[in-house]
Amino acid sequence: QVQLVESGGGSVQAGGSLRLSCAASGYSTSSLCMGWFRQAPGKEREGVARIFADHFSKYYADFVNGRFTISLDNGKNTLYLQMNSLEPEDTAMYYCAAASRLQGLGTWYQRCDFNEWGQGTQVTVSS
């Protein structure tokens, strides 16, 4: 049974930073893809960042614009998202997810088949 537990969310002012953590149990963070997603009220869930099993291949959504960094610590079985220069538009519930396989065609980050999800951690950025 895979469990993903996020933490690190909170309320910050614009320009501030937060580091989200996702502790994984029952699943090795050395396998395939892990990623961060977010969903704001009234909006669809969107991908934020993804990391491949090699720890070097990373993908970021355009809106990240160099502000966030995704990383993996295999020893701690933990996925991180360092978020700097936060903007009010970043306010959302943030979820981590894990992919046990790749499907379809395209780049690696397009093929990650995310099938395990955490419960989310709230990030609120005030202006």
Side-chain angles (χ1 to χ4, degrees), residues 9 11 17 19 33 39 48 51 53 58-59 70 74 81-82 90 94 97 99 104 110 113 121:
S11 297
S17 299
R19 188 175 81 155
C33 318
Q39 187 167 20
V48 177
I51 186 167
K58 301 178 181 180
Y59 165 79
I70 188 171
N74 268 2
L81 184 68
Q82 176 67 44
D90 296 316
Y94 282 71
Q110 293 172 318
D113 183 21
T121 185

Side-chain angles (χ1 to χ4, degrees), residues 7-36:
S7 61
S11 297
V12 296
Q13 290 190 328
S17 299
L18 285 173
R19 188 175 81 155
L20 306 183
S21 299
C22 173
S25 61
Y27 178 85
S28 169
T29 55
S30 65
S31 301
L32 297 178
C33 318
M34 294 194 76
W36 288 97

Side-chain angles (χ1 to χ4, degrees), residues 4 10 13 24 34-35 59-61 66 68 72-73 77 82 85 89 114 121 125:
L4 302 174
Q13 290 190 328
M34 294 194 76
Y59 165 79
Y60 297 95
F68 299 172
L72 266 175
D73 186 333
N77 266 9
Q82 176 67 44
S85 301
E89 294 74 19
F114 291 101
T121 185
V125 185

